[in-house]
Amino acid sequence: RILTILFVFILSGCLLNPLLETNADLDKQHFKKTVTIDDHASNTFVTFSTVNGVQEKQGTHQRVFNDNFVRGLLNKRTKTKTYQIYNVVYYAGAGNSASKKHFAQANYKTPTGDKIAPTNILKEHEDCSALNFYGQCLYNEHVTFSVDEGLLKTVATPNTRRTPTDNAWQYALIPESGDSHKDKLLTAEVAGLLESMAQYITMMPTE
């Protein structure tokens, strides 16, 4: 049943998250409140994530299909920070290895123009259990790419010239085969993560 729901949404082009266009409550304070913080004493890094900030759930099982969010990693010893954009992408294709897209690069907006960066494919999954019904398999990829803090601060800075629908940072995942996957993050989501990390740092004990 889950496969049926997902095929319907893929074929109808409805996997892009409509909440990014319609929900006025998705402001910076919302994302600050929903940031998850993973800090274990045995770990060198604290992990911050906006994964719970906004998710479009489908069907009676309320499954999340396509998703994207920001992750920040804080080195507890050096206080250095690194950032990743995390993507989960579902798509359909013929049941052979050539149909896997392998999102190997990201193309994202910067103040000086588009930038191409390599990605890190964390997981690729193929499900051909519905092949006899739909003639296609389902695939999903978990993909990250790194961005620097300076760019994220620029993205998060309020801009009065933007219209409400412009308050998002655009990017695309470029595959080795097939069409690119275009996506975006709300500027408020980026701002919420940055402020959550900054606030956490001020509360850390000094050595």
Side-chain angles (χ1 to χ4, degrees):
R1 184 170 180 173
I2 291 173
L3 286 175
T4 299
I5 293 171
L6 184 50
F7 264 114
V8 169
F9 276 89
I10 287 176
L11 295 176
S12 63
C14 293
L15 278 177
L16 291 180
N17 197 333
L19 295 177
L20 297 186
E21 302 290 352
T22 60
N23 196 331
D25 295 330
L26 299 176
D27 58 9
K28 179 175 66 176
Q29 293 306 316
H30 164 79
F31 286 106
K32 283 184 68 176
K33 291 177 182 178
T34 55
V35 164
T36 62
I37 302 174
D38 183 7
D39 182 8
H40 293 285
S42 60
N43 293 344
T44 303
F45 292 90
V46 186
T47 302
F48 301 77
S49 172
T50 62
V51 62
N52 292 331
V54 53
Q55 294 179 327
E56 175 69 4
K57 298 179 180 180
Q58 308 288 352
T60 56
H61 295 282
Q62 292 294 280
R63 286 286 301 269
V64 177
F65 297 122
N66 280 4
D67 195 16
N68 67 332
F69 52 90
V70 193
R71 289 202 305 189
L73 303 175
L74 171 66
N75 187 309
K76 290 187 283 189
R77 182 176 60 84
T78 65
K79 303 296 193 298
T80 56
K81 294 167 283 185
T82 56
Y83 300 90
Q84 299 173 335
I85 310 302
Y86 195 111
N87 306 267
V88 182
V89 184
Y90 282 80
Y91 56 92
N96 56 69
S97 59
S99 64
K100 292 181 181 178
K101 291 191 174 184
H102 302 293
F103 292 105
Q105 293 181 312
N107 182 345
Y108 58 86
K109 303 291 184 181
T110 78
T112 58
D114 289 1
K115 180 176 181 179
I116 301 291
T119 65
N120 182 23
I121 300 176
L122 303 179
K123 181 172 69 173
E124 292 179 300
H125 182 258
E126 177 185 84
D127 186 346
C128 291
S129 58
L131 183 61
N132 292 335
F133 296 97
Y134 297 100
Q136 291 181 311
C137 297
L138 285 176
Y139 300 90
N140 74 76
E141 298 187 32
H142 289 238
V143 182
T144 66
F145 63 94
S146 298
V147 292
D148 61 63
E149 185 176 36
L151 174 61
L152 292 183
K153 286 182 176 179
T154 299
V155 169
T157 301
N159 187 338
T160 56
R161 292 175 298 176
R162 292 180 178 140
T163 65
T165 55
D166 289 332
N167 285 322
W169 178 61
Q170 310 282 340
Y171 67 90
L173 299 177
I174 304 172
E176 294 179 356
S177 175
D179 296 330
S180 296
H181 173 76
K182 296 181 180 180
D183 218 325
K184 59 188 175 182
L185 287 166
L186 291 176
T187 57
E189 182 169 354
V190 177
L193 180 90
L194 293 178
E195 290 198 12
S196 179
M197 292 182 69
Q199 183 177 348
Y200 189 91
I201 291 172
T202 63
M203 296 186 296
M204 293 178 68
T206 56
E207 296 182 357

Coordinates of all heavy atoms in Angstrom, one line a residue, residues 101-160:
K101 N 19.9 7.0 -10.2 CA 20.4 8.4 -10.6 C 21.8 8.7 -10.1 O 22.6 9.3 -10.7 CB 19.4 9.4 -10.2 CG 18.1 9.4 -10.9 CD 17.2 10.6 -10.7 CE 16.0 10.6 -11.5 NZ 15.2 11.8 -11.3
H102 N 22.1 8.3 -8.9 CA 23.4 8.6 -8.2 C 23.6 10.1 -8.2 O 24.3 10.7 -9.1 CB 24.6 7.9 -9.0 CG 24.5 6.4 -9.0 ND1 24.5 5.6 -7.9 CD2 24.3 5.6 -10.1 CE1 24.4 4.4 -8.3 NE2 24.2 4.3 -9.6
F103 N 23.0 10.8 -7.3 CA 23.1 12.3 -7.2 C 24.6 12.6 -6.8 O 24.8 12.7 -5.6 CB 22.1 12.9 -6.3 CG 20.7 12.8 -6.8 CD1 19.8 11.8 -6.3 CD2 20.3 13.6 -7.9 CE1 18.5 11.7 -6.8 CE2 19.0 13.5 -8.4 CZ 18.1 12.5 -7.8
A104 N 25.4 12.9 -7.7 CA 26.8 13.0 -7.4 C 27.3 14.5 -7.1 O 28.4 14.7 -6.6 CB 27.7 12.5 -8.6
Q105 N 26.5 15.5 -7.5 CA 26.8 16.9 -7.4 C 25.6 17.7 -6.9 O 24.5 17.3 -7.1 CB 27.4 17.4 -8.7 CG 28.7 16.9 -9.1 CD 29.2 17.5 -10.4 OE1 28.4 17.7 -11.4 NE2 30.4 17.9 -10.5
A106 N 25.9 18.8 -6.3 CA 24.9 19.8 -6.0 C 25.2 21.1 -6.6 O 26.4 21.5 -6.7 CB 24.8 20.0 -4.5
N107 N 24.2 21.8 -7.1 CA 24.3 23.1 -7.7 C 23.5 24.1 -6.9 O 22.3 23.9 -6.8 CB 23.8 23.1 -9.2 CG 24.0 24.4 -9.9 OD1 24.2 25.5 -9.2 ND2 23.8 24.4 -11.2
Y108 N 24.1 25.0 -6.2 CA 23.4 25.9 -5.3 C 23.7 27.3 -5.5 O 24.8 27.7 -6.1 CB 23.6 25.5 -3.8 CG 25.0 25.5 -3.3 CD1 25.6 26.6 -2.9 CD2 25.8 24.3 -3.3 CE1 26.9 26.6 -2.4 CE2 27.1 24.3 -2.9 CZ 27.6 25.4 -2.4 OH 28.9 25.4 -1.9
K109 N 22.8 28.2 -5.0 CA 22.9 29.6 -5.2 C 23.8 30.3 -4.2 O 23.8 29.9 -3.0 CB 21.5 30.3 -5.1 CG 20.5 29.7 -6.1 CD 20.8 30.1 -7.5 CE 19.7 29.7 -8.4 NZ 20.0 30.0 -9.9
T110 N 24.7 31.2 -4.7 CA 25.5 32.0 -3.8 C 25.4 33.5 -4.3 O 24.9 33.7 -5.4 CB 27.0 31.6 -3.8 OG1 27.6 32.1 -5.0 CG2 27.2 30.1 -3.8
P111 N 25.8 34.4 -3.5 CA 25.7 35.8 -3.9 C 26.5 36.1 -5.2 O 26.2 37.1 -5.9 CB 26.3 36.6 -2.7 CG 26.1 35.7 -1.5 CD 26.3 34.3 -2.1
T112 N 27.5 35.3 -5.5 CA 28.3 35.6 -6.7 C 28.0 34.6 -7.8 O 28.7 34.6 -8.8 CB 29.8 35.4 -6.3 OG1 30.1 34.1 -5.8 CG2 30.2 36.5 -5.3
G113 N 26.9 33.9 -7.7 CA 26.5 33.0 -8.8 C 26.4 31.5 -8.3 O 26.6 31.2 -7.1
D114 N 26.0 30.7 -9.2 CA 25.9 29.2 -8.9 C 27.2 28.6 -8.5 O 28.2 28.9 -9.1 CB 25.2 28.5 -10.0 CG 23.7 28.9 -10.1 OD1 23.3 29.7 -9.4 OD2 23.1 28.3 -11.0
K115 N 27.2 27.6 -7.6 CA 28.4 26.9 -7.3 C 28.1 25.4 -7.4 O 27.0 24.9 -7.0 CB 28.8 27.2 -5.9 CG 30.1 26.5 -5.5 CD 30.6 26.9 -4.1 CE 31.9 26.2 -3.7 NZ 32.4 26.6 -2.4
I116 N 29.0 24.6 -7.9 CA 28.9 23.2 -8.0 C 29.8 22.5 -6.9 O 30.9 22.9 -6.7 CB 29.4 22.6 -9.3 CG1 28.6 23.3 -10.5 CG2 29.3 21.1 -9.4 CD1 27.1 22.8 -10.5
A117 N 29.2 21.6 -6.1 CA 29.9 20.9 -5.1 C 29.7 19.4 -5.1 O 28.6 19.0 -5.6 CB 29.5 21.5 -3.7
P118 N 30.6 18.6 -4.7 CA 30.4 17.2 -4.7 C 29.5 16.8 -3.6 O 29.4 17.5 -2.6 CB 31.8 16.6 -4.4 CG 32.5 17.7 -3.7 CD 32.0 19.0 -4.3
T119 N 28.8 15.7 -3.7 CA 27.9 15.2 -2.7 C 28.5 13.9 -2.0 O 29.5 13.4 -2.5 CB 26.5 14.8 -3.2 OG1 26.7 13.7 -4.1 CG2 25.9 16.0 -4.0
N120 N 27.9 13.6 -1.0 CA 28.2 12.3 -0.3 C 27.0 11.5 -0.3 O 26.0 11.8 0.4 CB 28.7 12.6 1.1 CG 29.1 11.3 1.8 OD1 29.4 10.3 1.2 ND2 29.2 11.3 3.1
I121 N 26.9 10.4 -1.0 CA 25.7 9.5 -1.0 C 25.8 8.5 0.1 O 26.7 7.6 0.1 CB 25.6 8.8 -2.4 CG1 25.5 9.7 -3.5 CG2 24.4 7.8 -2.4 CD1 25.5 9.1 -4.9
L122 N 25.0 8.7 1.1 CA 25.0 7.9 2.3 C 24.3 6.6 2.1 O 24.7 5.6 2.7 CB 24.4 8.7 3.5 CG 25.0 10.0 3.8 CD1 24.2 10.7 5.0 CD2 26.4 9.9 4.2
K123 N 23.3 6.6 1.3 CA 22.5 5.3 1.2 C 21.8 5.4 -0.2 O 21.2 6.4 -0.5 CB 21.5 5.2 2.3 CG 20.7 3.9 2.2 CD 19.9 3.6 3.5 CE 18.8 4.6 3.7 NZ 17.9 4.3 4.8
E124 N 21.7 4.2 -0.8 CA 20.9 4.1 -2.0 C 20.0 2.8 -1.8 O 20.6 1.8 -1.4 CB 21.7 4.0 -3.3 CG 22.4 5.2 -3.7 CD 23.2 5.0 -5.0 OE1 24.1 4.2 -4.9 OE2 23.0 5.7 -5.9
H125 N 18.8 2.9 -2.1 CA 17.9 1.7 -1.9 C 17.0 1.5 -3.1 O 16.5 2.4 -3.7 CB 17.0 1.9 -0.7 CG 16.1 0.8 -0.4 ND1 14.8 0.7 -0.7 CD2 16.4 -0.4 0.2 CE1 14.3 -0.4 -0.3 NE2 15.2 -1.2 0.3
E126 N 16.9 0.2 -3.5 CA 16.0 -0.2 -4.6 C 14.9 -1.1 -4.1 O 15.2 -2.0 -3.4 CB 16.9 -0.9 -5.7 CG 16.1 -1.4 -6.9 CD 17.0 -2.2 -7.8 OE1 17.2 -3.4 -7.5 OE2 17.4 -1.6 -8.8
D127 N 13.7 -0.9 -4.5 CA 12.6 -1.7 -4.2 C 11.8 -2.1 -5.5 O 11.1 -1.2 -6.0 CB 11.6 -1.0 -3.2 CG 10.5 -1.9 -2.7 OD1 10.3 -3.0 -3.3 OD2 9.9 -1.5 -1.7
C128 N 11.9 -3.3 -5.9 CA 11.2 -3.7 -7.1 C 10.0 -4.7 -6.8 O 9.6 -5.4 -7.7 CB 12.2 -4.4 -8.0 SG 13.5 -3.4 -8.7
S129 N 9.5 -4.6 -5.6 CA 8.4 -5.5 -5.3 C 7.1 -5.2 -6.0 O 6.2 -6.0 -6.1 CB 8.1 -5.4 -3.7 OG 7.8 -4.1 -3.3
A130 N 7.0 -4.0 -6.6 CA 5.8 -3.6 -7.3 C 6.1 -3.6 -8.8 O 5.3 -3.0 -9.6 CB 5.3 -2.2 -6.9
L131 N 7.2 -4.2 -9.3 CA 7.6 -4.2 -10.7 C 6.5 -4.8 -11.6 O 6.2 -4.2 -12.7 CB 8.9 -4.9 -10.9 CG 9.5 -4.9 -12.3 CD1 9.8 -3.5 -12.7 CD2 10.7 -5.8 -12.3
N132 N 5.8 -5.8 -11.2 CA 4.8 -6.5 -12.0 C 3.6 -5.6 -12.1 O 2.8 -5.8 -13.1 CB 4.4 -7.8 -11.4 CG 5.6 -8.9 -11.5 OD1 6.4 -8.7 -12.4 ND2 5.6 -9.8 -10.6
F133 N 3.3 -4.7 -11.2 CA 2.1 -3.9 -11.2 C 2.4 -2.6 -12.0 O 1.5 -2.1 -12.7 CB 1.7 -3.6 -9.8 CG 1.2 -4.8 -9.0 CD1 2.1 -5.4 -8.2 CD2 -0.1 -5.3 -9.2 CE1 1.7 -6.5 -7.4 CE2 -0.5 -6.4 -8.5 CZ 0.4 -7.0 -7.6
Y134 N 3.6 -2.0 -11.8 CA 3.8 -0.7 -12.4 C 4.9 -0.7 -13.5 O 5.1 0.4 -14.1 CB 4.2 0.3 -11.3 CG 3.2 0.5 -10.2 CD1 3.2 -0.2 -9.0 CD2 2.1 1.4 -10.5 CE1 2.2 0.0 -8.1 CE2 1.1 1.6 -9.5 CZ 1.2 0.9 -8.3 OH 0.2 1.1 -7.4
G135 N 5.6 -1.8 -13.6 CA 6.6 -1.8 -14.6 C 7.9 -1.0 -14.3 O 8.7 -0.8 -15.1
Q136 N 8.0 -0.6 -13.0 CA 9.1 0.2 -12.5 C 9.4 -0.2 -11.1 O 8.6 -0.8 -10.4 CB 8.7 1.7 -12.6 CG 8.6 2.3 -13.9 CD 8.3 3.8 -13.9 OE1 7.4 4.2 -13.2 NE2 9.0 4.6 -14.6
C137 N 10.6 0.2 -10.7 CA 11.1 0.0 -9.4 C 11.1 1.4 -8.7 O 11.1 2.4 -9.4 CB 12.5 -0.6 -9.3 SG 12.6 -2.2 -10.0
L138 N 11.1 1.3 -7.4 CA 11.2 2.6 -6.6 C 12.6 2.7 -6.0 O 13.2 1.7 -5.6 CB 10.2 2.6 -5.4 CG 8.8 2.9 -5.8 CD1 7.9 2.8 -4.5 CD2 8.6 4.3 -6.4
Y139 N 13.2 3.9 -6.1 CA 14.5 4.1 -5.5 C 14.5 5.2 -4.5 O 13.6 6.1 -4.6 CB 15.5 4.5 -6.6 CG 15.6 3.4 -7.7 CD1 14.8 3.4 -8.8 CD2 16.6 2.4 -7.6 CE1 14.9 2.5 -9.8 CE2 16.7 1.4 -8.6 CZ 15.9 1.5 -9.7 OH 16.0 0.5 -10.6
N140 N 15.4 5.2 -3.6 CA 15.6 6.4 -2.8 C 17.1 6.6 -2.4 O 17.8 5.6 -2.3 CB 14.7 6.5 -1.5 CG 15.1 5.5 -0.5 OD1 16.1 5.7 0.3 ND2 14.4 4.4 -0.3
E141 N 17.5 7.8 -2.4 CA 18.9 8.1 -2.0 C 18.9 9.1 -0.9 O 18.1 10.0 -0.8 CB 19.6 8.7 -3.3 CG 19.7 7.8 -4.5 CD 20.5 8.4 -5.6 OE1 21.5 9.1 -5.3 OE2 20.2 8.1 -6.8
H142 N 19.9 8.9 0.0 CA 20.2 9.8 1.1 C 21.5 10.5 0.7 O 22.5 9.8 0.6 CB 20.3 9.1 2.4 CG 19.0 8.6 3.0 ND1 18.5 8.9 4.2 CD2 18.1 7.7 2.4 CE1 17.4 8.3 4.4 NE2 17.1 7.6 3.3
V143 N 21.4 11.8 0.5 CA 22.6 12.5 -0.1 C 22.8 13.8 0.8 O 21.9 14.5 1.2 CB 22.2 13.0 -1.5 CG1 23.4 13.7 -2.1 CG2 21.9 11.8 -2.4
T144 N 24.1 14.1 1.1 CA 24.5 15.3 1.7 C 25.5 16.1 0.9 O 26.2 15.5 0.1 CB 25.1 15.0 3.1 OG1 26.3 14.4 3.0 CG2 24.2 14.2 4.0
F145 N 25.5 17.4 1.1 CA 26.6 18.2 0.6 C 26.9 19.3 1.6 O 26.0 19.7 2.3 CB 26.3 18.8 -0.8 CG 25.1 19.7 -0.9 CD1 25.3 21.1 -0.8 CD2 23.8 19.2 -1.1 CE1 24.3 22.0 -0.9 CE2 22.8 20.1 -1.2 CZ 23.0 21.5 -1.1
S146 N 28.1 19.7 1.6 CA 28.6 20.7 2.6 C 28.5 22.1 2.1 O 28.7 22.4 0.9 CB 30.1 20.4 2.9 OG 30.2 19.1 3.5
V147 N 28.2 23.0 3.0 CA 28.2 24.4 2.6 C 28.9 25.2 3.8 O 29.0 24.7 4.9 CB 26.8 25.0 2.5 CG1 26.1 24.4 1.3 CG2 25.9 24.7 3.7
D148 N 29.5 26.3 3.5 CA 30.2 27.0 4.5 C 29.3 28.0 5.3 O 28.2 28.3 4.9 CB 31.4 27.8 3.9 CG 31.0 28.9 2.9 OD1 30.3 29.8 3.3 OD2 31.4 28.8 1.7
E149 N 29.8 28.3 6.5 CA 29.0 29.1 7.4 C 28.7 30.5 6.9 O 27.6 31.0 7.0 CB 29.7 29.2 8.8 CG 28.8 29.9 9.8 CD 29.5 29.9 11.2 OE1 30.8 30.0 11.2 OE2 28.8 29.8 12.2
G150 N 29.6 31.1 6.1 CA 29.4 32.4 5.6 C 28.2 32.5 4.7 O 27.4 33.4 4.7
L151 N 28.1 31.5 3.8 CA 27.0 31.4 2.9 C 25.7 31.3 3.7 O 24.7 31.9 3.4 CB 27.1 30.3 1.9 CG 25.9 30.0 1.0 CD1 25.6 31.3 0.1 CD2 26.1 28.8 0.1
L152 N 25.6 30.4 4.7 CA 24.4 30.2 5.4 C 24.0 31.5 6.2 O 22.8 31.8 6.3 CB 24.6 29.0 6.4 CG 24.7 27.6 5.8 CD1 24.8 26.6 6.9 CD2 23.6 27.3 4.8
K153 N 25.0 32.2 6.7 CA 24.6 33.5 7.3 C 24.0 34.5 6.3 O 23.1 35.2 6.7 CB 25.9 34.1 8.0 CG 26.3 33.3 9.2 CD 27.5 34.0 9.9 CE 27.9 33.3 11.2 NZ 29.1 33.9 11.8
T154 N 24.6 34.5 5.1 CA 24.0 35.3 4.1 C 22.6 34.9 3.7 O 21.7 35.7 3.6 CB 24.8 35.3 2.8 OG1 26.2 35.7 3.1 CG2 24.3 36.1 1.7
V155 N 22.3 33.6 3.6 CA 21.0 33.1 3.3 C 20.0 33.5 4.4 O 18.9 33.8 4.2 CB 21.0 31.5 3.2 CG1 19.6 30.9 3.1 CG2 21.8 31.1 1.9
A156 N 20.5 33.4 5.7 CA 19.6 33.6 6.8 C 19.4 35.1 7.1 O 18.4 35.5 7.9 CB 20.2 33.0 8.1
T157 N 20.1 36.0 6.5 CA 20.0 37.4 6.8 C 18.7 38.0 6.1 O 18.5 37.7 4.9 CB 21.2 38.2 6.2 OG1 22.4 37.8 6.8 CG2 21.0 39.7 6.5
P158 N 17.8 38.6 6.9 CA 16.6 39.2 6.3 C 16.8 40.1 5.2 O 17.8 40.9 5.2 CB 15.9 39.9 7.5 CG 16.5 39.3 8.7 CD 18.0 38.9 8.3
N159 N 16.0 40.0 4.2 CA 16.1 40.9 3.0 C 14.8 41.4 2.7 O 13.8 40.7 2.3 CB 16.7 40.1 1.8 CG 17.0 40.9 0.6 OD1 16.4 42.0 0.5 ND2 17.8 40.4 -0.3
T160 N 14.6 42.7 2.9 CA 13.2 43.3 2.7 C 12.8 43.3 1.3 O 11.6 43.6 1.0 CB 13.3 44.8 3.2 OG1 14.3 45.5 2.5 CG2 13.5 44.8 4.7

